[in-house]
Amino acid sequence: MINIGIIGVGRIGRVHGENISRYIRNARIKTIADPYLNDEQIIWATRLGIQNWTKCYKDILTDNEIHAVLICSPTDTHCEIAIDCIHAGKHIFCEKPIDKNIIKIYNVICELEKYNVKFQVGFNRRFDHNFKAIKQAIQSHKIGQPHILRITSRDPYPPTLNYSKICGGLFVDMTIHDFDMTRYLLDAEVMEVFAVGNTLIEPTIAELDDVDTAIITMKMSDGTLVVIDNSRQAVYGYDQRVEVFGSKGQASIANDTKTSLVISDNQGIHTEKPLNFFLERYTRSYAEEIKHFINAILSNKPVLVNAYDGLMAVLIGVASIKSLKENRPVKLSEIEKLENGGKTNGDEIYVNNYLRLSKRSLRIQGHS
Amino acid sequence: MINIGIIGVGRIGRVHGENISRYIRNARIKTIADPYLNDEQIIWATRLGIQNWTKCYKDILTDNEIHAVLICSPTDTHCEIAIDCIHAGKHIFCEKPIDKNIIKIYNVICELEKYNVKFQVGFNRRFDHNFKAIKQAIQSHKIGQPHILRITSRDPYPPTLNYSKICGGLFVDMTIHDFDMTRYLLDAEVMEVFAVGNTLIEPTIAELDDVDTAIITMKMSDGTLVVIDNSRQAVYGYDQRVEVFGSKGQASIANDTKTSLVISDNQGIHTEKPLNFFLERYTRSYAEEIKHFINAILSNKPVLVNAYDGLMAVLIGVASIKSLKENRPVKLSEIEKLENGGKTNGDEIYVNNYLRLSKRSLRIQGHS
Amino acid sequence: MINIGIIGVGRIGRVHGENISRYIRNARIKTIADPYLNDEQIIWATRLGIQNWTKCYKDILTDNEIHAVLICSPTDTHCEIAIDCIHAGKHIFCEKPIDKNIIKIYNVICELEKYNVKFQVGFNRRFDHNFKAIKQAIQSHKIGQPHILRITSRDPYPPTLNYSKICGGLFVDMTIHDFDMTRYLLDAEVMEVFAVGNTLIEPTIAELDDVDTAIITMKMSDGTLVVIDNSRQAVYGYDQRVEVFGSKGQASIANDTKTSLVISDNQGIHTEKPLNFFLERYTRSYAEEIKHFINAILSNKPVLVNAYDGLMAVLIGVASIKSLKENRPVKLSEIEKLENGGKTNGDEIYVNNYLRLSKRSLRIQGHS
Amino acid sequence: MINIGIIGVGRIGRVHGENISRYIRNARIKTIADPYLNDEQIIWATRLGIQNWTKCYKDILTDNEIHAVLICSPTDTHCEIAIDCIHAGKHIFCEKPIDKNIIKIYNVICELEKYNVKFQVGFNRRFDHNFKAIKQAIQSHKIGQPHILRITSRDPYPPTLNYSKICGGLFVDMTIHDFDMTRYLLDAEVMEVFAVGNTLIEPTIAELDDVDTAIITMKMSDGTLVVIDNSRQAVYGYDQRVEVFGSKGQASIANDTKTSLVISDNQGIHTEKPLNFFLERYTRSYAEEIKHFINAILSNKPVLVNAYDGLMAVLIGVASIKSLKENRPVKLSEIEKLENGGKTNGDEIYVNNYLRLSKRSLRIQGHS
């Protein structure tokens, strides 16, 4: 039985809490921590049989009975909390993105290399039934060598302006899932990225130096060409599709709908819109990713999506921002100087030198 | 080069005429005959390069250069014209149904047995791309032994009252295609039929002792169970589907649409209605059936759909009418007395004894 | 908080137990009863936090803290247990069918009329997302007045021979769901039924006087024509489809699949088989039906599927068996004599006189 | 009645010939010209009732009875023949591309401005039922303002090496259709293009400095973002799809198949591959484009796809080649110097200055 502490019980923290309570037999939530803990959250916890709550996450770190921590706090607190957790010897499940700042993520990875704890990043789509199915199709060579990967990822409605201001922009907030999916599906690294974008939905976005519509083209280390298209607003619902075209065929996944109802009338044939909200669409994947995390701890196996994966997705996002700004293809190897200093140690300072990091990441992936 | 005469140049006669002119290289229309020949028809003929027209179909029969005749006149004239054609040694393509009266069809078959001419009935659906594909799937054992055959056949709008009065009713006018398709797809004979029906679309139909909505269940000689559902009005378009369920799987065909356009909006996902009119839906099948007829003549091979097939479809229709009226399953072998007398010769009087006719039909099918 | 006792903790009893534990906040299982209670079941109960178990269901009836009972024992024990529960004032959720014997069901209904308890029958499909969607489409008049209802219901593989011997045959065991769905979707009563069937999958079924393939045609009180087709073995998976054709259009529901994966290769375009097992296909409906039952108790509202519905489905099954045996359409009003005697009281003896029962059922449906 | 001369009776010339003969009532082919005219071609012509043939296309130009010419000769002869036709006052239908050289096309346009003849380019896809439907959906504002256009265009198998050597490369030979479709669907001009490509199918292609797999991203004058993906070999068939995503929804068109057959077996659900060959897939569009051409002549209306359209598609192709070679986005306005000199007249020398040309093109489009 794994005892868990949840740090941050906003929307996603509670999703994980309910999933553990319903679906995971060999784990239980011992404590929740949130600096803004309110009555509603306590009632929620009580109903789930959670008996301890605190405003200070460090209470969780000093509890020797707690084996693992879910970091569900705001993004800019992830790295500090993560490093504290590492030092306390707790296994970590950290929501995405680890951070918007590469150096801060890098520092987490450096600490991870010294301690024997699991670190899983919340790229839940890797655990979704459809995405798993297409991954399996590629792995089993049903489509041969991949040539073209197409990801369509469009939200049903744009975020609030406040959220837009802090989220890091389209590429780091939204496309980050697609960047991770690209690396996961192809089992290859991004070499170069070219992004075009526009502000077609919400003019105020442009003032934030962000875009709401984008197409990102990427060249992969195995020669595959990748294209991602994003929009902040698909009025017909949450559009989440992937298509992998290869030497022996093509695999694709389509949107899920609530029911299979078809209405035929004198206007045409009508079916349902896709599921409209990410928590509805990806419900099961949230339970699956936590199951995977618990199993990795219990069986002492590598997690499917580790800190290096978390770093790479942000790195591609940063390269995309640079590409959009400079209107040119950007190689990942270009990002050689880390703008905001940060702790560095000799050659290892260049997180951007991803081939070197890639080798190191083997240690991260392989360590127990 | 086969010279053809067309008897009756209404809508369907002209469809055949245009198809021969466009698609068939080894046939040409020499003469058209129609007792009500008008200017428009003559202009039509001239444009197609047809040089002879007459009001009397017998002019075609006496023309030694004409090898084959298409009988496209009103149904109640088919048999008389057919027998004249047989006596004149012309190959015959006859529109469906051969007649609504079984004895009259029987008499045609008796004449056919004495003369060496082809006789093809216009069950065009056997030549449709979708129906051919499902036939091929069954024949190639992709679904194993058939267990259940389901045919959905619904018209886009009901016929005029005048047409309803003379067409012989739903079963002989419309379901007849489905009866033929059943025999064709399963390569088996109908043993027993049970029909339920109702007047749900057009109340005046009830006054004609007819129905506009029906479900017909049939037991086949090979044990397969069959269900046909019909409606005179599917507001979403011409609904023409078949599903064969068997020991190793299922084959089905769906409706054709004009384009593959899909519109996704905030109301749902929308596609086109099926093609809305039988001449639009079955366009190519009309050309294919005439090609087949010409090839059968040129290569002296049996036609795919002969006079016996034409008889059987009407016979099942008659049994369905009886079943509906008496609200009980009716065996085809029951229909032993031919109501309206007609020419008979000993044992052969009983056309209903289909097993005997079936053996005879081998001769019809096999003769050149 | 509703306290529940489960009588019978075989497969379906445990499905309900897990669902209550996971998804239903205002109910808890207090006690389970099973005459053959074993260690595995006790471990299962303990894990779910169930603290009481017994071999004698009467222990549940005498527990005043228990408000409601789920009857999940073998079919032939349902009625006796149900009547005991009624007398003990417990609300009842009873698995389908209530019984194979109409008189026994009738007797339960008679008791229900005297006591103020809920009685819900386990026709879970009424709570399935697809079936609910098509019901909603009909109710909201999207297709106008229904003309034809088509239900396809085919199992992925035949039951064991032992199960076949006791299950009451195809119509009472399997088609019963479709009979209930017909009444539910159309909100009308079956007037007459005609069944054809064959033994095409498993020859030994014929020795049991049963069939494994069937087509059932029904006339409804509102004029709609219904056809159900059943098979005990669809090799491509569990085939559960419905199509309602009406004056303004058509609504249909298709099979659910595990993922939306499409593989295109040089052989064709390939998608997944339907979900292959009823517990997988109907997972959510089992949780929904229990939620509905609990809510009906708490809000003192009629249940969606009551004892009269349970009776009617069996009655149609019995009529279908008669129709198959006698090869003729059977009116439900025909079944006037109850073969095996049973308790009767004057006019009410005729359960088959469904119009009278229908009125009475209003009381059942309406009573709290 | 329009009299037509066909110059070049290879595959595509004969396709047009047959279509005119079958489907177009107000046009007839008077003469065919081909320097390599052979017996087979003469037999073909005779069968179609074409009575004149010649090895010298100038015989057609001097025939005063001929109103219009179809230029179906090898690409590098198009411009010279076209200019001769213009001077002879013949209306012109010219196969795509007009030429691979921009200057040569420009010179044709200069001549067109002086003479009153129609000039239609053979971008047949504009006349395809699916592409017309999506164009109509956009025009009727069903999807609002377009944001993203995605075109998938993949051939079923790569061309021969010999063809690859002379075809001008992927962008000018194959993507040219997609470039034209982009301009047509969006009714906007391409501002900038970025191409990535690879040689994943046929290594010898790389030696020709060409690619067989590519993704082209484009920014349009109206802000829409466009992505085209191409492959020379889709083993599952000819893949021709378009998706336009906009402010109010999305419109998409899928591949056509030969039949609607669906096979369900224990391996899954299987449908047909797309139509496998461009003449099969686009059959009807070839007839439609010629009909349009004839109607434009008869009614003296602008053609749907004129010389300017022909020029622009090649121009985008040239920009794509440059982008691929230089690995950077290329503005269409960049292509300011015409490499190979050519006839120039002052400011007009810069064909690349497409805004200026665009205005001129109005004259071309509008003139009769």
Side-chain angles (χ1 to χ4, degrees), chain B residues 46-62:
Chain B
T46 308
R47 187 173 52 66
L48 253 58
I50 301 169
Q51 289 166 342
N52 307 295
W53 45 83
T54 170
K55 294 201 168 184
C56 177
Y57 75 84
K58 301 208 173 173
D59 295 342
I60 285 175
L61 304 189
T62 55

Side-chain angles (χ1 to χ4, degrees), chain D residues 208-222:
Chain D
L208 302 176
D209 221 17
D210 196 4
V211 292
D212 53 28
T213 306
I215 295 175
I216 303 105
T217 312
M218 303 192 290
K219 296 179 193 166
M220 302 301 291
S221 55
D222 66 351

Side-chain angles (χ1 to χ4, degrees), chain D residues 81-92:
Chain D
I81 296 175
I83 288 172
D84 282 350
C85 288
I86 294 167
H87 292 166
K90 309 298 187 199
H91 299 294
I92 298 157

Side-chain angles (χ1 to χ4, degrees), chain D residues 203-275:
Chain D
T204 55
I205 292 290
E207 294 165 25
L208 302 176
D209 221 17
D210 196 4
V211 292
D212 53 28
T213 306
I215 295 175
I216 303 105
T217 312
M218 303 192 290
K219 296 179 193 166
M220 302 301 291
S221 55
D222 66 351
T224 310
L225 305 178
V226 177
V227 60
I228 298 166
D229 73 271
N230 290 145
S231 170
R232 284 290 196 184
Q233 182 178 279
V235 298
Y236 53 85
Y238 195 31
D239 196 352
Q240 300 282 292
R241 286 172 291 153
V242 171
E243 183 179 306
V244 195
F245 170 81
S247 58
K248 287 170 57 188
Q250 179 176 278
S252 66
I253 52 173
N255 292 309
D256 283 351
T257 53
K258 198 171 168 193
T259 82
S260 64
L261 183 68
V262 181
I263 300 286
S264 305
D265 61 25
N266 61 7
Q267 300 301 303
I269 314 298
H270 316 283
T271 56
E272 280 185 11
K273 296 194 289 183
L275 292 174

Side-chain angles (χ1 to χ4, degrees), chain A residues 262-274:
Chain A
V262 182
I263 300 286
S264 306
D265 60 25
N266 62 7
Q267 300 301 303
I269 315 297
H270 317 284
T271 56
E272 283 185 9
K273 295 194 290 183

Side-chain angles (χ1 to χ4, degrees), chain C residues 55-283:
Chain C
K55 293 201 168 183
C56 178
Y57 76 85
K58 301 209 172 173
D59 295 342
I60 285 175
L61 304 189
T62 55
D63 183 342
N64 285 332
E65 288 187 348
I66 289 181
H67 310 93
V69 171
L70 313 189
I71 303 178
C72 305
S73 54
T75 297
D76 58 3
T77 69
H78 285 176
C79 287
E80 186 188 343
I81 296 173
I83 289 173
D84 282 349
C85 291
I86 295 167
H87 291 167
K90 309 299 187 199
H91 299 293
I92 299 158
F93 175 93
C94 180
E95 270 305 322
K96 56 114 305 214
I98 303 181
D99 200 281
K100 291 176 282 183
N101 183 298
I102 294 166
I103 287 289
K104 285 173 70 182
I105 305 174
Y106 180 67
N107 290 340
V108 171
I109 292 179
C110 289
E111 291 308 301
L112 278 171
E113 299 201 331
K114 303 178 201 153
Y115 290 81
N116 194 13
V117 297
K118 305 285 175 200
F119 187 97
Q120 181 173 330
V121 181
F123 283 129
N124 59 295
R125 292 186 194 173
R126 291 196 184 199
F127 299 89
D128 174 73
H129 55 289
N130 287 338
F131 289 93
K132 277 197 292 187
I134 197 165
K135 170 70 178 176
Q136 167 65 18
I138 298 168
Q139 270 187 320
S140 59
H141 305 295
K142 284 201 176 145
I143 61 156
Q145 177 65 33
H147 291 177
I148 296 172
L149 166 63
R150 276 190 3 183
I151 299 181
T152 289
S153 182
R154 301 171 189 156
D155 277 353
Y157 35 78
T160 61
L161 190 57
N162 278 342
Y163 182 84
S164 291
K165 280 177 184 164
I166 60 155
C167 73
L170 185 82
F171 298 130
V172 170
D173 176 53
M174 186 171 152
T175 325
I176 195 170
H177 277 294
D178 310 312
F179 293 141
D180 181 63
M181 191 48 62
T182 298
R183 293 180 62 252
Y184 174 59
L185 290 180
L186 297 176
D187 211 5
E189 294 294 345
V190 174
M191 304 300 286
E192 191 177 303
V193 59
F194 177 72
V196 296
N198 209 340
T199 313
L200 298 170
I201 295 157
E202 184 50 72
T204 55
I205 293 290
E207 293 166 23
L208 303 175
D209 221 15
D210 196 4
V211 292
D212 52 29
T213 306
I215 295 174
I216 304 104
T217 311
M218 303 192 290
K219 296 179 193 168
M220 302 300 291
S221 54
D222 65 352
T224 310
L225 304 178
V226 176
V227 61
I228 298 166
D229 72 273
N230 290 145
S231 171
R232 284 289 196 185
Q233 181 177 280
V235 298
Y236 53 85
Y238 196 30
D239 196 352
Q240 299 282 292
R241 287 173 290 153
V242 171
E243 183 178 307
V244 194
F245 170 81
S247 58
K248 287 170 55 187
Q250 179 176 277
S252 66
I253 53 173
N255 292 309
D256 283 352
T257 53
K258 198 172 168 193
T259 82
S260 64
L261 182 68
V262 181
I263 300 285
S264 306
D265 60 26
N266 62 7
Q267 300 300 304
I269 315 298
H270 316 284
T271 56
E272 282 184 10
K273 295 193 290 182
L275 293 174
N276 206 38
F277 182 49
F278 77 96
L279 286 180
E280 191 184 13
R281 168 64 187 81
Y282 287 116
T283 308

Side-chain angles (χ1 to χ4, degrees), chain A residues 146-152 154 192 194 196-198 200-201 213-215 217-219 222-227 229-231 233-236 239 241 243 245-250 327-329 331, chain D residues 146-152 154 192 194 196-198 200-201 213-215 217-219 222-227 229-231 233-236 239 241 243 245-250 327-329 331:
Chain A
H147 291 178
I148 295 171
L149 167 62
R150 275 190 4 183
I151 299 182
T152 289
R154 302 171 189 155
E192 192 176 301
F194 177 73
V196 295
N198 211 339
L200 299 170
I201 296 157
T213 307
I215 295 175
T217 312
M218 303 192 289
K219 297 179 193 166
D222 66 351
T224 310
L225 305 177
V226 176
V227 61
D229 72 273
N230 289 145
S231 169
Q233 182 177 278
V235 298
Y236 53 84
D239 196 352
R241 288 171 291 152
E243 184 179 306
F245 170 81
S247 58
K248 287 169 55 186
Q250 180 176 277
N327 192 28
R328 64 173 186 87
K331 285 190 170 43
Chain D
H147 292 177
I148 296 172
L149 167 62
R150 276 190 1 184
I151 299 181
T152 290
R154 302 170 189 156
E192 190 177 305
F194 177 72
V196 295
N198 210 340
L200 298 169
I201 295 157
T213 306
I215 295 175
T217 312
M218 303 192 290
K219 296 179 193 166
D222 66 351
T224 310
L225 305 178
V226 177
V227 60
D229 73 271
N230 290 145
S231 170
Q233 182 178 279
V235 298
Y236 53 85
D239 196 352
R241 286 172 291 153
E243 183 179 306
F245 170 81
S247 58
K248 287 170 57 188
Q250 179 176 278
N327 192 29
R328 64 174 185 87
K331 286 189 171 41

